[in-house]
Amino acid sequence: MSQPPPQGRPGEQEGFGAPYEPQPGAYGAPVQPQPQPGPYGQPSTAPYGYPQPQPQPQPQPPTVPYGYPGPQHQPSGGRSRGRVAGLVAAVLAGVLVVGTGVWFAVGGDDGADDKKPVARESTAPKQPSAEPSPKATPAPGAAELNKGRKEGEAKVRWVRKNDVDVPAAGAAVRGPWITGGVVAKAMYRTATGYSLEDGSQKWSLRLPADVCASPTLPSADGEIVIGIREGTDEGAACEKLQMIDLATGKAGWTATLDRSGMQDGLSDIVMAVNGDVLTVGRTTRTDAYRISDGKHLWDRLPGFCQPYGFASGDVPLAAVDCRKAPSDDDTPDEEVRRMDPATGRTVWTYKVKKGWKIDQFYSVDPPVVSLRQDGLEPKWAIALLNTDGTYRAQPVPGKEDFEVRCGEQGENLDDCIGAAADADTLYLATKPEYVDGEFTNAVVAFDLDTGKTKWKVPAPPAQTLQPMRVEDGKVLLYLSPPDSKARTGGGIMALGPQGGALRTVLRHPASAATAEHVFEPAIRYSDGRSLIVIGRVGGDSDEEEMDVRTIIAFGD
């Protein structure tokens, strides 16, 4: 049986999970992107990691939450990395209850081809203007970004600019997925693979309709299965599946999700890969497929409890909805389960208190689960579990506030930066503070057995740190470049089990700091190379749209 969290009245014990009361415009409330004027939904010019402060008689922190540029146009179904949550000290008692069973938690100077765009289908009307618009200065490529590179800094290996004409509202970028020597992404109606070595295009696959869902990770064999809309009409259902070999770009099997005999609106699709199994979860059920041949393995399980999303990775953890009436949205009744993805069999269960939802899996081995309670006063809790699904501890934040940046609510449950864990430690990024006109933060390590703080390491002034994952006993972190004049670049850093001084793994050049800032990125680090991949592509014109840098690769 799962063990209950520490008991007591509010105020008797500090920990994550008591009511969190965000202030208007302050950290903690989910960001609701708003449309920008103009047919393309202009990309924000605010640098990554720091919203642009407005001139004031006295410097004041900006009112948009840290980690994201100002509001951007995000059509429904698009991916946003703008959801953040602030966390305050409180008690977890009463948030989680005893569970049963066993569980899991979470061509040219650019080195790129100079090929023509794959498609030209923008339908935006021309902007009326008495005079022609001034010609924009093209964004610099790798050679220009490397001109000011200093000793000890890695070079910009290559830059890819957008090569897909997207709709007027822009398009979300899905991926990246790295396998072998290829990095691949999908956007709008195209999937593309590039060489990790020099950024040259290896393949491009035209798709019949918009990409609407995808797993965070590919299979070990380098295959991905993406969701595609059933047609090109706006609002078409996300019910088609397409397997793609990422090494070659060849399209494999296809399938159509079965929506017969039940209310299946295909809402909030969560896709995950566990071994050779793909799961496609949504509000009312999950379908499982064998990736290698497309065989349908299972779907709706007996009883009321149905998994609505898995986390990708070696430990298949699932978020399970046990509501008897699917329309009863005000009272979630959920469980965390470790399940066999090939059969749907439950290995163990951790019961979450009614009214709370599973938000994200920050780690699957060990299990670290983010929970939330929606409403006028959103609440956030973190549960630390043992590998058998029993309760282990809860973090004790003291006076610190924390932020973890994840994908848009309703999409995948395993796509966060700002939290990482190993066998005995949880690493969390603190909420950035506005100091001397710039943002900075720290990383705090928690003991998984007690929830107590082990150590705290601050980021360099005017920069922020985001835990990514633990590798070879060290936590890898993304260091953002400063917001002001480029004194230094961003990069990948590391901290050992005892904290201490930051160790440089890969220092991005200060000469590329401005280019790194304009991204709303996904960040990947593999085999001595780091990739900054933009999360959304758009522009005021076709020319501007095609000049957007979609990937910057760093490395020696």
Side-chain angles (χ1 to χ4, degrees), residues 296-321:
H296 186 266
L297 301 175
W298 56 273
D299 45 54
R300 191 168 175 85
L301 301 175
F304 289 112
C305 294
Q306 300 297 320
Y308 62 84
F310 280 69
S312 293
D314 294 335
V315 180
L317 296 184
V320 178
D321 186 353

Side-chain angles (χ1 to χ4, degrees), residues 85-105:
L87 197 57
V88 295
V91 294
L92 192 57
V95 172
L96 301 177
V97 297
V98 176
T100 59
V102 196
W103 172 88
F104 116 76

